[in-house]
Amino acid sequence: MKLVQASCVGFVDETFSKAPVPGGGGVAALAGALGTALGGMVCNLTTGKKKYAQYEEDIQRIMNEAEALKNRLLELIDEDAQNFFPLSKAYGLPKNTEEEKKIKEETLQKCLKVAIQGPVDIMKVCHDAIKLQEELVDKGSMLAISDVGCGVLLLKGAMQSGWLNVVVNLNSITDEKYVADLRAELVPLMDEGCRICDEVYEKVLAKLG
């Protein structure tokens, strides 16, 4: 059974166990999906309301984009687990001879680049979802404004968790250009995402009085 199809209790208990997955990546993807889903809920509670008629077109767009991002994050729960599996096997390869050491290191380097892709994608999708929440905090129904705040907190945590899972793999990758390029791409993304989350959270607090 896919992890994404587990019950809430099943997923949490599997995370609690000594099983290698779901780990930080899968949990980050789920947290991001939940944060994005809260944005979708706010859209559903806003659409069709006369008070917010001027934003109706935007709300519909945000809702559609949020649904796509939510679905992608759910997919990434199992993608991350599948991508990690080859790496977990590679760590168990023998290294008794120089030839074995060479094969193990080459295999590890290939598998690390596979394992890192899930967290990278989680970060990017969460960043896109955060941008939607940034818009929603000014256009969504005040009756659900606290849910925008809850959503960005989950997305910020998911994005930062994704980054930790990126870094733990980057630290073992010997391809210096690959490491530098990925850091150059993701660090500004995370900095912007965290800044937006903090701003949205403060806006929500201010609106709640």
Side-chain angles (χ1 to χ4, degrees):
M1 184 180 75
K2 289 185 175 182
L3 291 170
V4 75
Q5 294 173 338
S7 67
C8 291
V9 172
F11 189 95
V12 172
D13 284 349
E14 191 70 6
T15 303
F16 190 93
S17 76
K18 64 180 181 180
V21 293
V27 171
L30 178 58
L34 288 169
T36 306
L38 282 172
M41 184 185 77
V42 174
C43 288
N44 274 299
L45 292 171
T46 305
T47 185
K49 299 292 193 299
K50 289 182 180 179
K51 185 176 179 180
Y52 304 98
Q54 62 180 316
Y55 301 128
E56 181 64 24
E57 188 175 328
D58 291 334
I59 291 297
Q60 290 296 323
R61 172 181 49 77
I62 293 169
M63 184 157 49
N64 290 334
E65 291 180 15
E67 183 170 18
L69 295 173
K70 178 260 297 178
N71 290 340
R72 178 62 187 134
L73 284 162
L74 289 174
E75 290 174 351
L76 281 163
I77 294 173
D78 282 288
E79 279 188 30
D80 181 67
Q82 291 160 7
N83 289 346
F84 177 74
F85 184 72
L87 180 61
S88 67
K89 291 295 184 183
Y91 279 122
L93 290 173
K95 52 178 181 178
N96 300 313
T97 66
E98 288 304 315
E99 181 64 20
E100 285 179 346
K101 288 179 182 178
K102 180 183 177 184
I103 291 172
K104 181 173 184 175
E105 181 59 23
E106 289 175 349
T107 304
L108 279 172
Q109 290 302 314
K110 290 178 183 177
C111 291
L112 282 163
K113 289 183 179 180
V114 173
I116 206 171
Q117 193 56 53
V120 168
D121 289 345
I122 289 166
M123 288 186 68
K124 291 179 177 179
V125 178
C126 285
H127 179 269
D128 289 343
I130 287 166
K131 296 287 284 183
L132 293 181
Q133 301 278 21
E134 179 183 30
E135 193 174 356
L136 195 56
V137 73
D138 294 318
K139 298 176 180 179
S141 171
M142 266 297 296
L143 295 175
I145 199 68
S146 62
D147 294 297
V148 176
C150 292
V152 294
L153 288 175
L154 283 166
L155 283 162
K156 181 182 180 183
M159 187 173 57
Q160 289 178 313
S161 297
W163 175 240
L164 290 177
N165 281 273
V166 168
V167 172
V168 74
N169 287 303
L170 281 182
N171 288 343
S172 298
I173 294 175
T174 56
D175 184 340
E176 294 181 1
K177 184 178 186 306
Y178 176 90
V179 171
D181 288 347
L182 200 54
R183 283 184 175 275
E185 179 185 8
L186 295 180
V187 170
L189 206 69
M190 196 178 77
D191 288 346
E192 182 188 45
C194 288
R195 174 184 58 77
I196 292 172
C197 286
D198 292 342
E199 290 174 355
V200 171
Y201 178 74
E202 291 301 326
K203 270 191 175 183
V204 170
L205 278 180
K207 285 176 181 284
L208 292 173

